[in-house]
Structures are given as C-alpha cells and as structure tokens.
Amino acid sequence: MNRVLRYKSFQVGSFGLLLALVPLLVTNRYYLTVMVFIGIHTLLVVGLNLLMGYAGQISLGHAAFFGLGAYTSGILTTTYHVSPWPAMVAAVVLTVTVALLVGIPALKLTGYYLAMATLGFGIIIHICFKELVWLTGGPSGLVGIPTLGIGKIMLDEPKAYYCLVWVATTAAIALSLNIVDSRVGRALRAIHDSESAAGASGISTSRLKIWVFAVSAVYASVAGSLYAHFITFISPSSFDFMFSVKLVTMVVVGGMASIWGAVFGAATLTVLPEVLTTFHDYDIVLFGLILMVVMIFMPQGLTRGALDIWDKYRFQRQRSLLVNR
Amino acid sequence: MAGLRIVLADALDDQRRTASAMDLGTQIVQYLISGITIGAIYAVIALGFTIIYNATEVINFAQGEFVMLGGMAVIALDGSGYLPLALCFVLGVLAVTVVGILLERLTIRPVKVANPITLIIITVGASIFLRGGAMMLWGKDSLALRPFTGAQPIHMGGATLVPQSLWVLGVTLVVMTGLQVFYKHTITGKAMRACAFNRRAASLMGISVNRMVLVSFALSAAIGAAAGIVIVPITLCGYDVGTMLGLKGFCAAVLGGLGSSPGSILGGFLLGVLEALGAGLISSGFKDAIAFFVLLLVLFVRPSGLLGPREIKRI
Amino acid sequence: MSINRTSLIQIWTVLYLAAALVLSGCAKKEEPKVPFKIGGIFAITGPASFLGEPERNSMELLAEQINEKGGINGHAIDLVIYDTEGDATKAVLNATKLIEKDNVLAIVGPSRSGTTLAVVPIVEKAQVPLLSCAASVKITTPVKKWVFKTPQTDVMAVAKIYEYMKAQGIKTIAILTVGNAFGDSGRQQLIQQAPDYGFQVVADERFGPKDTDMTPQLTKIRSLRPGAIVCWGTNPGPAVVAKNMRQLGIRIPLYQSHGVASKKFIELAGEAANGIVLPTGKISVTKNLPDSDPQKATLMKYITDYEAKYNSAVSGFGGYAWDGLQILAQALEKAGNDRAKIRDEIEKLTNYVGVSGIFRFSPQDHNGLTKEEAFVMVKIANGDWQVIQ
C-alpha cells in the first residue's frame, strides 16, 4: 500500500513539475491559451472518466454541468456583482443539486436508456440557456464576466491563468487517483464489470453511482467557472449536445478507466483541430477520418493502444534476438 | 385619451380571444397534421436505428447522415435535369445504400474488440466525415427540391395539407410494411430476427452474423435515404441537417423502446406530435425541451421505453 | 551503383547552387518591403458558413487586387485567415494566434455577433484594431477603443422596416425569430422599438436554427390575426417560414430581415418568396440604382470581380469583409506599420464609399453608417428584387 502511494505521489509530482516548466519555456500567449483550454478540458474529462471508465455509466449531457458552472459564475458575477470565488462555490452547490435531482431517477436506467436520459437533460439545460433571456442573455450570450484574481493580483494573463487552471486540474487528478485506488474505486470497478454481482457482494450500487455522478458534476462545474472567467464571454452554443459528444470522444480516445488516458485524450482532441486548421476546409473531413482510424486500430484508446504497440515491438525484438542467437 | 386607447385595446383583445377559441379545434388539427408528417420521418429514422441496434447492439450516430445524403444526392441528380424524379429517387437510395455498406465494411468490420462504446465513437467519426464530405461536394448552402406532385395545398376544414405530406406518409407506410414482409417472409429477414434474439445461437444455427450486420447497415442506409428524399421538398436540405434528425430519430427509438420496430414507429409519431403541440400550445422556444421532458418522464416510469422488452437481469 | 550515386550528388549540388544563385540574384535586384500582415477570422465552416465563406473570398479577392497593383506604398498585403466554425472558444484561440503568433497589424472579422463579443476583450487588451463583420449593435455600443464594425446594425434594419410598416397602416405585428444571436438581437430590437411606432406585438414566437417545420408557430400566429408577420433569421429557416405560409394559406403580409437578402433565399423559397418585403443593402439592387448613386460604381466593380473569380452569386455578406479590408488599406496607407496609428486613421475616416454604405467614423461612432444610406426596402416579385420608393 505504501509503495502504491509513493508511486502515485511520484507520478503526480513529476507531472506537476513538468507543468511548472512549461511557462518558463513557453512565453507565447497563444500556446499558453491552448494549454489553458487543455487544462479545462482535462478537468472535465477526468471527471467524466470516473463516471464512464470506472463506474461504467455513460453521460451524453455533461456539457450541461459545464454550462451550469459557467453560467452560475457568469450570472452571479455580472448581474448580481458577487465576487468570483464565492460565485464559484455557489456554482458547485447548484450543479451538485441539479446532478442529484437528475441522477437519482436517471441512474436507475442502464445502457442506452441512461445515455438518452442524460442527452435529454443536456438538451433541456441548453434550451434553458437559450430561452431564459432575462437571466442568461439568451443566444447573444453573457458579456463582461470579470477575470479571476487572488487577493489583489488579477490573473488576466494567460500565464497566470495557466498556473491556476493546472493547479486545479492536477489536484483533481491526484484526487481521482486516490478515489480510483480506494475502497470506493474498487467498488466502482465492480459495478462496471457487473452491477448485480457488485450488489450481491454488499456494495450499495445505486448510492455509489449517484455519488460518482455528483463528483463528476463538481469537476465539470469548476471547469465551467474557470472557462467563464477566462474567456469572459459565454453563449449557449459552447454547451450544446456536440460538446457533450466531444467530451465522450475525449474519454474514449484517451482510453477508458485510465486517469492519465483522460489527460492524453483531452490534450489530443484539443490540439488536433488547431493543427488541422492548416488544411482549411478539409479539416473536418480529416478530423472524422483520424477519429475513425484511431478507434479502429486502437479500440482501447490511445494510451492502451500505444502500450500494446510497445509490447508488440518489444516482443518482436526479443524474438529476433533469440532467432539471431 | 390613454384610457380610451386601453379600452379599445381590451375590446380588440376580447375579439381576438373569441376568434382563437373558435378555431382552436382547427388549430389542433393543423398541429396534428404537422406533427404526423414530421413524426413519420422520425419514425423511419428510428427504424434505421433499430435495425442496426438489433444486429449489433450499436447505436449508429451516422444514421442522420444517411438521411442528409439521400436528400442531397437526389437534389444533385434532379438538378442535372436529365432524369425523371422517380429514377432519381431510386438512384439516390441505391447510392446511400452503397455508402452504408462501405461504412460497415471499412469501419465496423475491422474492429477486433467489439466494445459498443468504441463502435459508437467510430460512427461519430463517420458522421463527421460524411458531413464534411457532403460539404465539400455540395457546398455549404441549403438546397431546395421541387415537390413530387404539385404544391397546391389541400384544404381540410380550416386546416391545410401539402400533397408532399401524403407522399411522406405513403413512403413511411411502404417502408414499414416492406420491413414487416422482409422480416416475416424472407430467409434473410428471419435470420436477422434470429440474430436480434440471440447472436450466438443464430451463429450456431449456421447464420452468418457478419453478413446480417452488413445487411442491417445496407437496409438502414436505404430507408434513411428514402426518408431524407421524401421530406426534402417540405424542409429543404443542407449538409448539416443530419445531426438534428439523427438525434430526434434516436430519441424516438428510445422512447418507443430500443429494438422494437412498432416501438420506433410509435415513438416517432409521438415525438413529432408532441413537438408540434408543444410549439403551438405552450411555447415555440421551449418545444424541444417539452418533448425531451416528456421523454425523461416516460423513461423514469418505464425504464425500457414504451414497447421495449422488459429488462431481464442476467447474472 | 556507386557511380550512379556520385553523379546524383553532383546533379543535386549543381541544382542547389543554381537555385541559390537565382534566389540571391532576385533578392539583390529589388528589396521588397516587408508585407503588411492582416488577420481574418470567419465562420468559414459550421452553421454560419453562409457568412464566413463569402467573407473569406471577398477578402482574398481584394488582397489579390491590391497586391497586383503593387500593394500599399509598396508593401504587399499578407493575409492569414482562420476558421472559427462559429464557435466562441475557437474564435478566442484564433484571435490569440493571430495576435501572438502571426503578429498581425489588424484583424477583420469574426462573422458572428457572439464570436465577436468573445474576442473583443482580447483585442482591447492586446491593442489590435478589429473590424467586425457581425450585425449586433452591442459590438460598437458602447464604443470600444479598438473595435469597429462594417455591417449595418439591426437597430437600423428594424427602424427601416418599422417606418415602412407604419406607412402601410399596420397596427399589430407578430414576430417570429430564429434562436441564435442574430435572431435574438433582432428580437430585442423588434420588441424595444415597437412602441415607438405604435405597434402592438401580439405574438413572439421562436424557431431553432435547424428546424424544418414552422407550421405550428404560424398556425398560432394566424389565430391571433396580426396585421403583419416579421420574421428575423438567416437561411434556411426564413425560407421554410415563407413556404409554410403558402402551405397554410396565410395571407398576412410577411416581412423579413436583411439576413436573407441574397439570391439564395429566393431560390430556396421559390414561388413562396414573391410578395415578401425586406430591407437590404444596396448590393441586391445595384442594377436598378440610378447612375447618380455614389455607391453604384463600387458595387458594380465588387459584383463583377467577385462573380468572375468565384463563379457564384454575390451576397451582401462578403461585402462586410471587403469593406473591412478597404478601410484597413486606406488606414494603412497613412499609418504604416503601427497598430495605434492604424486605429486612429480608421477613426478619422469619414468618406469611404463601400459596399454596405458610406462610412463616416468618429470617436463616438465606430460603425459609421446611417439607416437612410445603408438600407433600401425591396419587395420580391417574379423571383427578383424590386425597389420600393
């Protein structure tokens, strides 16, 4: 147990160190902005991966929690002049409440029925963002959200914001690694494999599923608040069904049931469209093509896929060494 | 003066209210006509989902793209001006069927570890790819197609109906009965039903499950295309209409109960009517929210849809 | 084998030397001045591609023309254009990339109101002039130091329609708007300005950008018997509205916004387009303009050049980016390689005759258009525009 803990703190520590190096080497605001978005997406995907990869429950409405976080932060700070940090806490409270209200009946469903229920929930929330014009600003969006500050220091430079986002994301990763290796994590994986078997061995499956649903909603809410304070303008189209699908894609491409896979998936799918912009109108076709090819040849996701290829390579090298001898 | 104006406005309002009360009946008939027309399309798309789901347990997110491709292909063929519309219809359906077959051959078949979620993401990739391809081929604008027969609306009491709506209902009816005949009276159809019940047992009986999956994609593409073609004269068509239609079709399939053909049809019509009534009687801005809210309620009461098979817990 | 390789190497060496000679010779002959780098961010794909594509095309066309003539004071124009897909996050990334990585002097775009509002804080902070191609009045009211816009605002469009409707003796109206930023902004103006013209809004209905059937909304509107229906949206929704009205046999006059002022709309709505009244930039009716009209020459040139190069019908939307780059070019001529000076020069520009109108910028007005000059009312008849005097 102690060794596992040490190994984990080593992983998180070296990851943190790597991240700390970035702002020293990269000074261009564009790359730092990309890194900020990767951080926000990672936070979302790590949470969703807990739900999908570990508990085996799909959510096609995760953009709604992201949006609830962003809009609560945005509305409280612009219309009601609440300062950003308390607003962020309020956003988390609201999002968890909504997650519980939806999760308790919805998580009784399984498979595609759960997917449909979360999808429907996501669309309802998206329509509310659009139609409650007096509250949300409607399709025109909400302007003038203040940037975050710590004390008197305003985090309005991408570099400062990069640090904030990645501190939050690294903390979330560390927390998730702990959850995954705890009693709860083992119970979650038991649910993933067989819900009835898990129930029979004394795990309170429904309570645990709702718990993990709420946790992933918290991650999404915090990510939403961070997003809103970073780009200072939000509109409903950033929180639509396609964004939910994109998040699920990030989880699957990175590799389900792997926290580091989530980081990888979020980073890949945030950077890929940026790289593809050089192909102008062809980028959407290429994106679809790459997605299909990756999934066909690495159905377990990029992390597992890469490991498989490495194993195969090592195996072949060993064999050729043996043959040569 | 201001007082007088208010009295006048009130009188006007009263008049308007009686008028609207008088033709509320006609209004509802009109909502039902709209709902049933668009519901028929949702039903056919939902059937497409069901066919593939029964063969593979996968939800094909590119289903909406079949509908779009059908519409776009026929607009292009008709636009060339050489062919009669009926022939365009047939060619359009055939072309999309080929796309469906290629999709299965090139993207679903090669996957070795058939984990449903992986396959779903592949279909998401395919839908993005097809949408992008359609955009490059036919451009970004919406396109229109002439109605099959005449544009003169038919009056039914106070309500009206375009002839194209009859075509939509007719084609839906043909697709539905055609599928029934196929499932009940052909060897392939029976084999597909066997696969739907139990794939391993079917394969032990000598049915090639792989072939059934291929047939399911071809069939599903064909009826999706037919739906797309028949609705275009009413709704117009652009490279990006597939996503929304696919979503509604999926919703209808789940509402009715995944895997059940009658369920899909019921779900489709119900969704269409709900949308139209919601838009007309409650709020047009919230119409989709109303439809999805009803869907959530149905799922919470009946966790496997209206006509879905009762959940059997396997241990 | 070995002979082959050496000879290959020799050939390559000679080729390289020759290439180097040619290149260095060119460089010595005339030293071209540093090109002016201009950024463009448009919704080239995605739901607003009907805006972004002609905008990108127009900008490339104009840059080509300027460069053929030898550039601006000898500086060529170097365009860097990115696609926002109409998405706010993408737009922010694109704008940052243009400013920080490509180091552009100024930016034309984005195409949509939402994406523009998302990039405003960035250009304000980085102090880069932005010439937006989006409609919403919020972009330039209140005035932001570095932000200008070229299209007419929806305030003007609504005022223009309402003026005309009032003259027709209309008292009650029903509004039907699309659920995106364009429709929403129009809806707010329609409701806000209605009392000024003595209109009563009896129905306020919405439709989704991808909706395919508006008969429920129209059936409801019919039962309320308004004097007119105003539809505010961009293709294809408004075309479906026009078709659905024919289908339901509704004979209430239909007014549309400048969002559908392109031939595409008439093509989509077909027969049902006839009789619709809408405001449009002068571009749609160029051939009917009197020769004395100051914009006619500009419009004729733009239309002929665009249609010759892209072989597709011109729309008013591309003109927004055309005007944007023209304004920039005039400012660049005086200001040169300096963002702050470019901004000042744009603000001083008071006589640019463009596609969307005659621009008179000032420190109080970063749009520079008036509704009298920017719009004409037209009626669609026999599949073509007819100017209403």
XYZ file of all heavy atoms in Angstrom, chain A residues 183-251:
521
model
N -11.274 2.027 -1.562
C -12.346 1.049 -1.477
C -13.465 1.413 -2.459
O -14.009 0.571 -3.162
C -12.885 1.051 -0.035
C -13.492 -0.237 0.425
C -13.826 -0.127 1.894
N -14.743 0.987 2.132
C -16.066 0.895 2.011
N -16.608 -0.242 1.680
N -16.841 1.932 2.229
N -13.751 2.735 -2.505
C -14.788 3.224 -3.421
C -14.435 2.865 -4.859
O -15.280 2.407 -5.625
C -14.937 4.751 -3.264
C -15.933 5.299 -4.273
C -15.355 5.095 -1.853
N -13.152 3.061 -5.204
C -12.727 2.791 -6.573
C -12.901 1.343 -6.942
O -13.356 1.007 -8.037
N -12.532 0.461 -6.005
C -12.699 -0.972 -6.285
C -14.176 -1.299 -6.441
O -14.558 -2.064 -7.319
C -12.059 -1.795 -5.162
C -10.547 -1.775 -5.219
C -9.945 -2.820 -4.292
N -10.251 -2.595 -2.885
C -9.576 -1.743 -2.104
N -8.572 -1.055 -2.592
N -9.905 -1.591 -0.843
N -15.001 -0.679 -5.583
C -16.446 -0.915 -5.686
C -16.962 -0.440 -7.045
O -17.779 -1.089 -7.685
C -17.171 -0.188 -4.563
N -16.443 0.726 -7.503
C -16.874 1.271 -8.789
C -16.555 0.304 -9.912
O -17.375 0.042 -10.790
C -16.175 2.605 -9.067
C -16.660 3.811 -8.293
C -15.820 5.033 -8.654
C -18.127 4.091 -8.605
N -15.326 -0.240 -9.869
C -14.952 -1.157 -10.938
C -15.782 -2.426 -10.890
O -16.096 -3.020 -11.906
C -13.456 -1.474 -10.874
C -12.694 -0.571 -11.850
C -11.228 -0.667 -11.642
N -10.892 -0.076 -10.348
C -9.666 -0.069 -9.859
N -8.697 -0.647 -10.500
N -9.427 0.515 -8.709
N -16.172 -2.803 -9.668
C -17.052 -3.964 -9.548
C -18.384 -3.674 -10.240
O -18.930 -4.512 -10.959
C -17.286 -4.286 -8.075
N -18.888 -2.437 -10.066
C -20.144 -2.056 -10.729
C -19.964 -2.098 -12.236
O -20.826 -2.562 -12.974
C -20.586 -0.644 -10.290
C -20.917 -0.631 -8.809
C -21.776 -0.181 -11.102
C -21.287 0.738 -8.281
N -18.810 -1.615 -12.683
C -18.526 -1.586 -14.111
C -18.615 -2.988 -14.696
O -19.199 -3.213 -15.745
C -17.133 -0.991 -14.333
C -16.800 -0.785 -15.770
N -15.536 -0.872 -16.265
C -17.580 -0.500 -16.822
C -15.553 -0.656 -17.555
N -16.787 -0.408 -17.924
N -18.006 -3.954 -13.993
C -17.976 -5.311 -14.527
C -19.346 -5.967 -14.446
O -19.829 -6.517 -15.421
C -16.925 -6.146 -13.785
C -15.524 -5.648 -14.098
O -15.392 -4.951 -15.129
O -14.600 -5.922 -13.324
N -19.949 -5.944 -13.280
C -21.304 -6.494 -13.177
C -22.002 -5.857 -11.994
O -21.581 -6.003 -10.850
C -21.262 -8.005 -12.987
O -22.505 -8.432 -12.482
N -23.071 -5.155 -12.328
C -23.761 -4.430 -11.281
C -24.413 -5.393 -10.291
O -24.363 -5.178 -9.079
C -24.809 -3.506 -11.904
C -25.086 -2.323 -11.024
C -26.013 -1.325 -11.681
O -25.855 -1.087 -12.895
O -26.869 -0.789 -10.983
N -24.967 -6.487 -10.833
C -25.652 -7.416 -9.926
C -24.663 -8.091 -8.993
O -24.923 -8.247 -7.797
C -26.411 -8.469 -10.716
O -26.612 -8.071 -12.034
N -23.508 -8.476 -9.546
C -22.502 -9.127 -8.708
C -22.032 -8.173 -7.618
O -21.884 -8.554 -6.451
C -21.319 -9.567 -9.555
N -21.837 -6.901 -8.006
C -21.402 -5.912 -7.030
C -22.449 -5.777 -5.933
O -22.129 -5.749 -4.737
C -21.156 -4.568 -7.713
N -23.718 -5.725 -6.348
C -24.798 -5.597 -5.376
C -24.828 -6.792 -4.447
O -24.998 -6.649 -3.235
N -24.611 -7.989 -5.030
C -24.659 -9.200 -4.227
C -23.536 -9.252 -3.205
O -23.683 -9.827 -2.135
C -24.583 -10.423 -5.144
N -22.386 -8.597 -3.535
C -21.297 -8.634 -2.550
C -21.382 -7.456 -1.575
O -20.388 -7.087 -0.970
C -19.935 -8.706 -3.237
O -19.981 -8.045 -4.458
N -22.552 -6.866 -1.487
C -22.784 -5.898 -0.410
C -22.449 -4.471 -0.741
O -22.369 -3.625 0.134
N -22.229 -4.157 -2.035
C -21.960 -2.770 -2.403
C -23.290 -2.075 -2.674
O -24.138 -2.606 -3.377
C -21.081 -2.710 -3.665
C -19.711 -3.306 -3.366
C -20.936 -1.285 -4.170
C -18.896 -3.587 -4.596
N -23.462 -0.892 -2.100
C -24.689 -0.145 -2.351
C -24.558 0.531 -3.709
O -24.099 1.662 -3.827
C -24.896 0.884 -1.251
O -25.878 1.789 -1.649
N -24.940 -0.195 -4.751
C -24.614 0.267 -6.106
C -25.271 1.588 -6.449
O -24.624 2.473 -6.995
C -25.034 -0.779 -7.160
O -26.410 -1.048 -6.963
C -24.229 -2.037 -7.061
N -26.556 1.750 -6.127
C -27.227 2.964 -6.585
C -26.645 4.185 -5.887
O -26.425 5.219 -6.512
C -28.731 2.867 -6.357
O -28.987 2.695 -4.991
N -26.340 4.067 -4.592
C -25.799 5.225 -3.885
C -24.424 5.599 -4.444
O -24.109 6.761 -4.651
C -25.697 4.926 -2.389
C -25.422 6.196 -1.597
C -25.290 5.924 -0.127
N -26.532 5.445 0.452
C -26.609 4.958 1.694
N -25.536 4.873 2.440
N -27.763 4.544 2.164
N -23.636 4.580 -4.734
C -22.283 4.818 -5.232
C -22.311 5.471 -6.620
O -21.534 6.383 -6.918
C -21.544 3.486 -5.299
C -20.043 3.550 -5.110
C -19.715 4.252 -3.804
C -19.482 2.156 -5.104
N -23.231 5.012 -7.460
C -23.335 5.584 -8.797
C -23.708 7.063 -8.719
O -23.146 7.910 -9.434
C -24.398 4.831 -9.614
C -23.921 3.501 -10.142
C -24.810 2.968 -11.244
C -26.175 2.586 -10.733
N -27.020 1.954 -11.762
N -24.671 7.367 -7.826
C -25.093 8.763 -7.680
C -23.934 9.597 -7.142
O -23.687 10.715 -7.577
C -26.325 8.852 -6.761
C -27.513 8.273 -7.504
C -26.601 10.284 -6.344
C -28.679 7.949 -6.637
N -23.183 8.999 -6.237
C -22.046 9.720 -5.650
C -21.035 10.089 -6.733
O -20.595 11.235 -6.832
C -21.406 8.829 -4.576
C -20.276 9.471 -3.852
C -20.373 10.345 -2.800
C -18.888 9.314 -4.122
N -19.127 10.732 -2.410
C -18.194 10.128 -3.205
C -18.154 8.567 -5.060
C -16.810 10.217 -3.185
C -16.767 8.664 -5.041
C -16.117 9.475 -4.111
N -20.708 9.136 -7.578
C -19.683 9.404 -8.597
C -20.225 10.364 -9.663
O -19.506 11.206 -10.197
C -19.119 8.102 -9.201
C -20.061 7.494 -10.192
C -17.777 8.348 -9.861
N -21.513 10.273 -9.931
C -22.169 11.212 -10.848
C -22.018 12.635 -10.310
O -21.642 13.563 -11.042
C -23.654 10.843 -10.947
C -24.401 11.508 -12.079
C -24.074 11.249 -13.396
C -25.456 12.372 -11.814
C -24.778 11.839 -14.435
C -26.171 12.966 -12.847
C -25.820 12.701 -14.146
N -22.253 12.799 -9.001
C -22.137 14.125 -8.376
C -20.700 14.616 -8.425
O -20.437 15.792 -8.711
C -22.649 14.079 -6.943
N -19.746 13.693 -8.150
C -18.336 14.106 -8.192
C -17.957 14.606 -9.580
O -17.338 15.670 -9.736
C -17.406 12.937 -7.776
C -15.956 13.275 -8.074
C -17.574 12.637 -6.302
N -18.382 13.874 -10.601
C -18.003 14.306 -11.953
C -18.702 15.619 -12.296
O -18.159 16.450 -13.030
C -18.307 13.216 -12.981
O -19.683 13.126 -13.210
N -19.895 15.842 -11.738
C -20.575 17.124 -11.957
C -19.803 18.266 -11.303
O -19.724 19.373 -11.846
C -21.999 17.070 -11.420
N -19.215 17.996 -10.118
C -18.421 19.034 -9.447
C -17.230 19.425 -10.318
O -16.964 20.613 -10.542
C -17.922 18.542 -8.065
C -16.904 19.508 -7.492
C -19.088 18.377 -7.121
N -16.532 18.406 -10.840
C -15.392 18.685 -11.717
C -15.833 19.577 -12.879
O -15.189 20.570 -13.221
C -14.824 17.379 -12.289
C -13.926 16.592 -11.355
C -14.087 16.656 -9.979
C -12.922 15.778 -11.866
C -13.278 15.909 -9.136
C -12.102 15.031 -11.032
C -12.291 15.104 -9.667
O -11.476 14.372 -8.847
N -16.979 19.185 -13.484
C -17.451 19.921 -14.657
C -17.822 21.352 -14.284
O -17.553 22.295 -15.035
C -18.651 19.216 -15.273
N -18.427 21.513 -13.120
C -18.845 22.842 -12.692
C -17.639 23.755 -12.490
O -17.628 24.909 -12.939
C -19.646 22.730 -11.400
O -19.843 23.984 -10.834
N -16.606 23.224 -11.811
C -15.402 24.028 -11.595
C -14.770 24.384 -12.942
O -14.392 25.538 -13.195
C -14.389 23.271 -10.704
C -13.077 24.032 -10.622
C -14.965 23.069 -9.321
N -14.729 23.386 -13.849
C -14.181 23.653 -15.183
C -14.976 24.762 -15.865
O -14.405 25.658 -16.496
C -14.206 22.385 -16.028
N -16.298 24.717 -15.711
C -17.154 25.738 -16.319
C -16.857 27.120 -15.768
O -16.737 28.092 -16.522
N -16.716 27.218 -14.441
C -16.414 28.520 -13.844
C -15.074 29.052 -14.352
O -14.950 30.225 -14.707
C -16.358 28.410 -12.317
O -17.606 28.008 -11.822
N -14.084 28.151 -14.390
C -12.761 28.567 -14.878
C -12.839 29.050 -16.321
O -12.238 30.061 -16.691
C -11.764 27.401 -14.766
C -11.348 27.018 -13.348
C -10.488 25.757 -13.374
C -10.577 28.156 -12.684
N -13.627 28.341 -17.125
C -13.797 28.709 -18.532
C -14.416 30.095 -18.639
O -13.936 30.960 -19.375
C -14.673 27.654 -19.206
C -15.089 27.965 -20.618
C -14.229 27.740 -21.678
C -16.354 28.483 -20.890
C -14.616 28.022 -22.976
C -16.750 28.771 -22.183
C -15.878 28.539 -23.225
O -16.260 28.827 -24.506
N -15.502 30.304 -17.881
C -16.228 31.580 -17.970
C -15.331 32.752 -17.584
O -15.317 33.778 -18.258
C -17.452 31.546 -17.067
N -14.553 32.584 -16.511
C -13.704 33.696 -16.073
C -12.509 33.888 -16.984
O -11.893 34.942 -16.978
C -13.235 33.475 -14.626
C -14.327 33.659 -13.640
N -14.967 34.859 -13.457
C -14.926 32.801 -12.792
C -15.904 34.737 -12.539
N -15.906 33.495 -12.126
N -12.181 32.861 -17.761
C -11.047 33.026 -18.665
C -11.453 33.749 -19.943
O -10.833 34.735 -20.323
C -10.432 31.660 -19.016
C -9.264 31.765 -19.947
C -8.115 32.433 -19.545
C -9.290 31.201 -21.209
C -7.027 32.551 -20.396
C -8.214 31.316 -22.063
C -7.079 31.996 -21.653
N -12.560 33.278 -20.588
C -12.861 33.936 -21.865
C -13.804 35.123 -21.694
O -14.047 35.867 -22.638
C -13.279 32.965 -22.992
C -14.740 32.631 -22.973
C -12.519 31.697 -23.000
C -15.098 31.939 -24.303
N -14.328 35.305 -20.492
C -15.135 36.463 -20.072
C -16.405 36.669 -20.904
O -17.092 37.664 -20.755
C -14.333 37.789 -20.078
O -14.053 38.155 -21.429
C -13.053 37.694 -19.299
N -16.707 35.757 -21.798
C -17.954 35.832 -22.562
C -18.456 34.415 -22.751
O -17.695 33.540 -23.146
C -17.697 36.459 -23.940
C -18.814 36.240 -24.915
C -19.887 37.107 -24.940
C -18.801 35.162 -25.785
C -20.928 36.899 -25.825
C -19.849 34.949 -26.672
C -20.910 35.824 -26.691
N -19.728 34.158 -22.438
C -20.245 32.811 -22.679
C -21.541 32.893 -23.467
O -22.313 33.842 -23.312
C -20.473 32.015 -21.369
C -21.220 32.860 -20.340
C -19.165 31.518 -20.799
C -21.567 32.100 -19.081
N -21.750 31.918 -24.344
C -23.014 31.839 -25.059
C -23.424 30.375 -25.139
O -22.583 29.483 -25.037
C -22.884 32.454 -26.448
O -22.043 31.665 -27.234
N -24.725 30.112 -25.309
C -25.219 28.730 -25.199
C -24.527 27.752 -26.138
O -24.393 26.582 -25.808
C -26.700 28.854 -25.556
C -27.049 30.262 -25.320
C -25.820 31.058 -25.562
N -24.066 28.237 -27.318
C -23.553 27.271 -28.284
C -22.299 26.550 -27.794
O -21.930 25.515 -28.336
C -23.279 27.964 -29.621
O -22.371 29.006 -29.433
N -21.644 27.067 -26.749
C -20.469 26.362 -26.224
C -20.859 25.164 -25.363
O -19.997 24.404 -24.950
C -19.626 27.299 -25.369
O -19.362 28.487 -26.043
N -22.159 25.035 -25.059
C -22.571 23.983 -24.127
C -23.630 23.086 -24.748
O -24.575 22.672 -24.097
C -23.102 24.614 -22.839
C -22.209 25.679 -22.293
C -22.507 27.018 -22.458
C -21.032 25.335 -21.637
C -21.657 28.003 -21.977
C -20.176 26.316 -21.153
C -20.485 27.648 -21.325
N -23.495 22.806 -26.041
C -24.548 22.053 -26.715
C -24.248 20.560 -26.741
O -23.252 20.099 -26.183
C -24.763 22.598 -28.133
C -23.514 22.472 -28.976
O -22.464 22.063 -28.427
O -23.568 22.783 -30.174
N -25.134 19.833 -27.408
C -25.006 18.383 -27.485
C -23.671 17.952 -28.087
O -23.027 17.015 -27.621
C -26.176 17.826 -28.304
C -26.007 16.418 -28.759
C -25.979 15.390 -27.839
C -25.866 16.117 -30.104
C -25.818 14.087 -28.253
C -25.702 14.815 -30.524
C -25.675 13.801 -29.602
N -23.223 18.689 -29.117
C -21.979 18.300 -29.776
C -20.802 18.372 -28.811
O -19.852 17.604 -28.910
C -21.703 19.184 -30.991
C -22.568 18.888 -32.201
S -22.865 17.136 -32.495
C -21.270 16.616 -33.106
N -20.862 19.336 -27.858
C -19.762 19.411 -26.902
C -19.767 18.190 -25.976
O -18.714 17.660 -25.633
C -19.825 20.712 -26.105
C -18.599 20.955 -25.276
C -17.395 21.243 -25.882
C -18.645 20.838 -23.900
C -16.246 21.433 -25.129
C -17.496 21.033 -23.132
C -16.301 21.331 -23.754
N -20.962 17.745 -25.586
C -21.048 16.519 -24.780
C -20.434 15.343 -25.521
O -19.687 14.547 -24.941
C -22.510 16.197 -24.456
O -23.056 17.148 -23.606
N -20.758 15.248 -26.805
C -20.215 14.149 -27.611
C -18.695 14.250 -27.681
O -17.976 13.266 -27.577
C -20.831 14.151 -29.024
C -20.145 13.144 -29.924
C -22.309 13.847 -28.954
N -18.209 15.489 -27.818
C -16.765 15.714 -27.886
C -16.091 15.225 -26.603
O -15.023 14.601 -26.652
C -16.520 17.208 -28.069
C -15.184 17.564 -28.652
C -15.180 19.036 -29.039
C -13.785 19.575 -29.170
N -13.778 21.030 -29.352
N -16.730 15.476 -25.462
C -16.147 15.041 -24.185
C -16.092 13.517 -24.109
O -15.077 12.949 -23.707
C -16.974 15.590 -23.019
C -16.882 17.096 -22.801
C -17.798 17.532 -21.681
C -15.442 17.495 -22.479
N -17.202 12.871 -24.510
C -17.207 11.405 -24.501
C -16.098 10.890 -25.424
O -15.376 9.955 -25.090
C -18.588 10.873 -24.943
C -18.543 9.374 -25.151
C -19.632 11.221 -23.910
N -15.945 11.557 -26.574
C -14.902 11.149 -27.513
C -13.521 11.278 -26.874
O -12.675 10.409 -27.036
C -14.973 12.033 -28.774
O -16.312 12.075 -29.208
C -14.117 11.475 -29.869
N -13.307 12.361 -26.126
C -12.013 12.539 -25.457
C -11.750 11.395 -24.483
O -10.640 10.873 -24.413
C -11.990 13.858 -24.697
C -11.853 15.080 -25.581
S -11.893 16.582 -24.590
C -11.780 17.831 -25.860
N -12.793 10.994 -23.747
C -12.624 9.896 -22.795
C -12.232 8.624 -23.540
O -11.273 7.948 -23.175
C -13.935 9.667 -22.006
C -13.841 8.385 -21.200
C -14.220 10.838 -21.100
